[in-house]
Short mmCIF file of all heavy atoms in Angstrom, two decimals:
data_model
loop_
_atom_site.label_atom_id
_atom_site.label_comp_id
_atom_site.label_asym_id
_atom_site.label_seq_id
_atom_site.Cartn_x
_atom_site.Cartn_y
_atom_site.Cartn_z
N GLU A 839 -22.75 11.28 6.30
CA GLU A 839 -22.45 12.58 5.69
C GLU A 839 -21.12 13.13 6.16
O GLU A 839 -20.34 13.67 5.38
CB GLU A 839 -23.56 13.58 6.03
CG GLU A 839 -24.81 13.39 5.21
CD GLU A 839 -25.62 14.68 5.08
OE1 GLU A 839 -25.67 15.43 6.07
OE2 GLU A 839 -26.16 14.91 4.00
N GLU A 840 -20.88 12.96 7.45
CA GLU A 840 -19.65 13.48 8.05
C GLU A 840 -18.39 12.90 7.41
O GLU A 840 -17.39 13.59 7.26
CB GLU A 840 -19.67 13.09 9.53
CG GLU A 840 -19.41 14.19 10.51
CD GLU A 840 -19.26 13.62 11.91
OE1 GLU A 840 -20.24 13.03 12.41
OE2 GLU A 840 -18.17 13.74 12.46
N VAL A 841 -18.47 11.63 7.06
CA VAL A 841 -17.28 10.97 6.49
C VAL A 841 -17.29 10.99 4.96
O VAL A 841 -16.39 10.44 4.32
CB VAL A 841 -17.13 9.52 6.98
CG1 VAL A 841 -16.89 9.49 8.48
CG2 VAL A 841 -18.34 8.67 6.60
N GLY A 842 -18.28 11.63 4.36
CA GLY A 842 -18.29 11.77 2.91
C GLY A 842 -18.92 10.60 2.17
O GLY A 842 -18.64 10.38 1.00
N GLU A 843 -19.79 9.85 2.87
CA GLU A 843 -20.52 8.77 2.17
C GLU A 843 -21.94 9.23 1.90
O GLU A 843 -22.65 9.68 2.80
CB GLU A 843 -20.52 7.48 2.99
CG GLU A 843 -19.14 6.85 3.09
CD GLU A 843 -19.19 5.34 3.30
OE1 GLU A 843 -19.31 4.90 4.45
OE2 GLU A 843 -19.11 4.61 2.30
N ALA A 844 -22.36 9.10 0.63
CA ALA A 844 -23.71 9.52 0.26
C ALA A 844 -24.71 8.46 0.72
O ALA A 844 -24.56 7.28 0.40
CB ALA A 844 -23.81 9.72 -1.24
N ALA A 845 -25.71 8.88 1.47
CA ALA A 845 -26.72 7.96 1.99
C ALA A 845 -28.03 8.70 2.08
O ALA A 845 -28.06 9.94 2.03
CB ALA A 845 -26.31 7.46 3.38
N TRP A 846 -29.14 7.94 2.20
CA TRP A 846 -30.43 8.60 2.28
C TRP A 846 -31.39 7.75 3.13
O TRP A 846 -31.42 6.54 2.98
CB TRP A 846 -31.01 8.83 0.88
CG TRP A 846 -31.99 9.94 0.90
CD1 TRP A 846 -33.34 9.84 0.78
CD2 TRP A 846 -31.69 11.33 1.08
NE1 TRP A 846 -33.91 11.09 0.88
CE2 TRP A 846 -32.93 12.02 1.07
CE3 TRP A 846 -30.52 12.08 1.26
CZ2 TRP A 846 -33.02 13.41 1.24
CZ3 TRP A 846 -30.61 13.45 1.42
CH2 TRP A 846 -31.85 14.11 1.40
N PRO A 847 -32.15 8.40 4.01
CA PRO A 847 -33.11 7.65 4.84
C PRO A 847 -34.28 7.11 4.03
O PRO A 847 -34.80 7.80 3.15
CB PRO A 847 -33.59 8.70 5.85
CG PRO A 847 -33.32 10.02 5.22
CD PRO A 847 -32.14 9.84 4.32
N MET A 848 -34.66 5.88 4.31
CA MET A 848 -35.80 5.23 3.64
C MET A 848 -36.77 4.73 4.71
O MET A 848 -36.36 4.36 5.80
CB MET A 848 -35.31 4.04 2.80
CG MET A 848 -34.29 4.38 1.73
SD MET A 848 -34.94 5.45 0.44
CE MET A 848 -35.74 4.27 -0.63
N PRO A 849 -38.07 4.70 4.38
CA PRO A 849 -39.06 4.30 5.39
C PRO A 849 -39.26 2.78 5.42
O PRO A 849 -38.81 2.07 4.53
CB PRO A 849 -40.33 4.99 4.88
CG PRO A 849 -40.18 4.95 3.37
CD PRO A 849 -38.70 5.09 3.10
N LEU A 850 -39.94 2.31 6.45
CA LEU A 850 -40.36 0.91 6.53
C LEU A 850 -41.89 0.91 6.66
O LEU A 850 -42.42 0.77 7.76
CB LEU A 850 -39.71 0.23 7.74
CG LEU A 850 -38.19 0.02 7.67
CD1 LEU A 850 -37.62 -0.45 9.00
CD2 LEU A 850 -37.85 -0.99 6.57
N PRO A 851 -42.58 1.07 5.53
CA PRO A 851 -44.05 1.22 5.60
C PRO A 851 -44.71 -0.09 6.05
O PRO A 851 -44.50 -1.14 5.44
CB PRO A 851 -44.44 1.55 4.16
CG PRO A 851 -43.16 1.90 3.45
CD PRO A 851 -42.08 1.14 4.15
N GLU A 852 -45.52 0.02 7.12
CA GLU A 852 -46.12 -1.18 7.73
C GLU A 852 -46.97 -1.98 6.73
O GLU A 852 -47.02 -3.21 6.80
CB GLU A 852 -46.98 -0.79 8.93
CG GLU A 852 -46.21 -0.13 10.08
CD GLU A 852 -45.14 -1.02 10.70
OE1 GLU A 852 -45.25 -2.26 10.62
OE2 GLU A 852 -44.19 -0.45 11.28
N HIS A 853 -47.63 -1.31 5.81
CA HIS A 853 -48.56 -2.02 4.92
C HIS A 853 -47.86 -3.04 4.02
O HIS A 853 -48.48 -3.96 3.50
CB HIS A 853 -49.37 -1.02 4.08
CG HIS A 853 -48.58 -0.36 2.99
ND1 HIS A 853 -48.53 -0.83 1.71
CD2 HIS A 853 -47.76 0.73 3.02
CE1 HIS A 853 -47.75 -0.06 0.98
NE2 HIS A 853 -47.26 0.90 1.75
N LEU A 854 -46.53 -2.88 3.85
CA LEU A 854 -45.81 -3.81 2.98
C LEU A 854 -45.57 -5.17 3.65
O LEU A 854 -45.17 -6.13 2.98
CB LEU A 854 -44.46 -3.20 2.56
CG LEU A 854 -44.55 -2.03 1.56
CD1 LEU A 854 -43.17 -1.43 1.31
CD2 LEU A 854 -45.16 -2.49 0.23
N ARG A 855 -45.79 -5.26 4.95
CA ARG A 855 -45.61 -6.53 5.65
C ARG A 855 -46.58 -7.59 5.14
O ARG A 855 -46.25 -8.77 5.05
CB ARG A 855 -45.79 -6.33 7.16
CG ARG A 855 -45.81 -7.60 8.01
CD ARG A 855 -44.50 -8.37 7.89
NE ARG A 855 -44.47 -9.57 8.72
CZ ARG A 855 -44.93 -10.76 8.37
NH1 ARG A 855 -45.53 -10.92 7.20
NH2 ARG A 855 -44.82 -11.80 9.19
N LYS A 856 -47.78 -7.17 4.77
CA LYS A 856 -48.83 -8.08 4.33
C LYS A 856 -48.40 -8.94 3.13
O LYS A 856 -48.73 -10.12 3.05
CB LYS A 856 -50.06 -7.25 3.95
CG LYS A 856 -51.38 -7.92 4.28
CD LYS A 856 -52.52 -6.93 4.09
CE LYS A 856 -53.92 -7.52 4.04
NZ LYS A 856 -54.11 -8.90 4.25
#
Side-chain angles (χ1 to χ4, degrees):
E839 283 206 322
E840 231 188 297
V841 296
E843 291 207 275
W846 203 252
M848 301 295 277
L850 292 171
E852 297 298 335
H853 73 94
L854 289 175
R855 172 62 178 86
K856 215 170 165 4

